[in-house]
Amino acid sequence: MVGSAIVRKLQAEGYSNLITRTSSELDLRNQAAVTDFFADEQPEYVFLAAAKVGGILANNSFRAEFLYDNLMIESNIIHSSYKSGVKKLLFLGSSCIYPKLAPQPLKEEYLLSGYLEPTNEPYAIAKITGIKLCEAYRSQYGCNFISAMPTNLYGPNDNYDLQGSHVLPALIRKFHEAKLNGQPGVEVWGTGAPRREFLHADDLADACFFLMQHYNDDLFVNVGTGEDVTIRELAELVKETVGYEGDLYWNTEKPDGTPRKLMDVSRLHALGWKHKTDLKQGLEMTYQDFLANEVLYVE
Ligand code: GDP
């Protein structure tokens, strides 16, 4: 989702010499394959969007892969970028790097000030390591490696698999299928009380392009909208967007996860960037994209 959004943004800006690989063409966990790729292609600017990602259930179930895959991907790419003299690298992390009970909104300086949320601790540790790799290669070798921490994302090419997905694509699919099947109700996980912030992937790509051009500092930057909603509010909004008229059943056997993770985006705003797509508009765009590509998104 993020990689394809960055490619769309770069193409729209007139860039044509883009070097991309799918995960089946290049296994980024394989150190020798990544070393050869950088030696052969000699990229100048690297957007490190590749990661093993997923929603609360996937993160909590595949704890080994979320740690191992992400550590390998980051280590291989960051080290190869240093070795092959990449001019600039942008590493993408996540808002789950922050302590579970950090004050809200989350300021960049709250990193490593408390315990992490247990359901996604392995992923968060890997993403924190990515930030630290960029900082270390910058301070030791003078590499211009920067990091951005996006909030929860959604948009074209999202994962709609109900076992692996995040809440927003899961709810689009659940309400859509319930509407088609005339189901009286839809199961939604947790209590509905947690609050989440959502950013459209095209806005993130725009922010990445902006940071690649204008930001060269050590400290990572939060990327979000600065506004959040409860999961209950999100569910009502998705229900309305899809046009489903049944009921919601809250399954409190499923975990809530972090109570809130709202980004403080004042540094990004001060640099001169702000998101363009609000949640309602972004949901409508995303539902239209889901309808156009349902056969691809839902096996
Ligand atoms: P998180 O932001 O890492 O907690 O990941 P998710 O996007 O998977 O979950 C966010 C919140 O939405 C959690 O409180 C979930 O319990 C809740 N949620 C409600 N229904 C669903 C669903 O169908 N799928 C997912 N993934 N989360 C859901």
Side-chain angles (χ1 to χ4, degrees):
M1 176 172 70
V2 175
S4 64
I6 293 173
V7 167
R8 281 196 301 279
K9 172 66 185 170
L10 292 172
Q11 285 169 339
E13 293 290 335
Y15 292 87
S16 55
N17 51 342
L18 307 178
I19 307 165
T20 60
R21 291 291 183 278
T22 62
S23 55
S24 52
E25 291 164 347
L26 175 62
D27 184 346
L28 294 168
R29 296 166 302 184
N30 180 329
Q31 187 181 35
V34 174
T35 305
D36 289 348
F37 170 77
F38 274 80
D40 292 345
E41 299 290 346
Q42 298 282 320
E44 290 176 291
Y45 297 89
V46 173
F47 292 86
L48 175 37
K52 167 118 181 134
V53 298
I56 194 164
L57 183 66
N59 265 276
N60 204 17
S61 310
F62 306 110
R63 300 177 70 87
E65 280 80 9
F66 273 81
L67 187 54
Y68 176 82
D69 290 2
N70 287 307
L71 286 175
M72 295 304 284
I73 292 169
E74 294 159 8
S75 302
N76 290 338
I77 294 180
I78 291 169
H79 187 69
S80 282
S81 295
Y82 152 62
K83 282 287 191 189
S84 68
V86 161
K87 287 188 184 153
K88 188 164 179 179
L89 174 144
L90 168 64
F91 168 69
L92 289 172
S94 159
S95 58
C96 71
I97 58 156
Y98 290 109
K100 175 175 180 146
L101 300 176
Q104 307 282 325
L106 298 158
K107 290 183 189 295
E108 286 87 349
E109 56 264 35
Y110 298 161
L111 180 70
L112 293 175
S113 62
Y115 293 109
L116 296 164
E117 154 63 28
T119 54
N120 57 23
E121 189 187 73
Y123 180 72
I125 295 272
K127 288 295 182 185
I128 293 169
T129 305
I131 297 173
K132 294 296 165 191
L133 281 166
C134 290
E135 287 176 7
Y137 280 77
R138 171 183 289 274
S139 69
Q140 189 176 341
Y141 298 119
C143 299
N144 193 3
F145 293 173
I146 60 170
S147 301
M149 296 306 119
T151 189
N152 299 44
L153 302 166
Y154 67 99
N157 301 313
D158 207 342
N159 172 10
Y160 286 89
D161 163 37
L162 295 179
Q163 298 306 306
S165 66
H166 281 279
V167 59
L168 191 151
L171 294 183
I172 289 181
R173 177 171 174 182
K174 284 183 180 177
F175 288 129
H176 173 72
E177 290 179 350
K179 183 174 91 170
L180 294 188
N181 300 332
Q183 260 170 252
V186 163
E187 183 197 283
V188 192
W189 298 350
T191 61
R195 303 184 70 89
R196 293 288 182 274
E197 177 185 5
F198 298 94
L199 180 72
H200 194 276
D202 286 338
D203 276 342
L204 174 68
D206 195 63
C208 290
F209 183 65
F210 175 87
L211 292 169
M212 195 56 120
Q213 287 180 306
H214 302 296
Y215 190 76
N216 297 299
D217 283 346
D218 192 18
L219 186 59
F220 62 88
V221 190
N222 288 342
V223 183
T225 64
E227 294 152 20
D228 63 1
V229 290
T230 64
I231 296 298
R232 188 177 294 274
E233 286 163 344
L234 175 76
E236 292 295 340
L237 209 52
V238 176
K239 189 178 144 180
E240 191 188 308
T241 306
V242 170
Y244 174 64
E245 288 177 351
D247 297 322
L248 305 184
Y249 298 112
W250 294 92
N251 180 354
T252 51
E253 302 281 296
K254 291 278 201 270
D256 267 346
T258 305
R260 192 177 190 195
K261 39 181 172 178
L262 175 64
M263 293 290 211
D264 183 322
V265 284
S266 45
R267 286 188 64 241
L268 186 61
H269 286 179
L271 290 168
W273 188 90
K274 196 172 183 298
H275 73 285
K276 297 191 185 79
T277 315
D278 72 23
L279 181 58
K280 195 165 168 20
Q281 182 193 6
L283 269 176
E284 274 156 21
M285 285 156 52
T286 304
Y287 185 46
Q288 291 311 314
D289 173 74
F290 174 82
L291 291 176
N293 295 291
E294 196 181 341
V295 283
L296 296 176
Y297 294 154
V298 177
E299 286 125 303

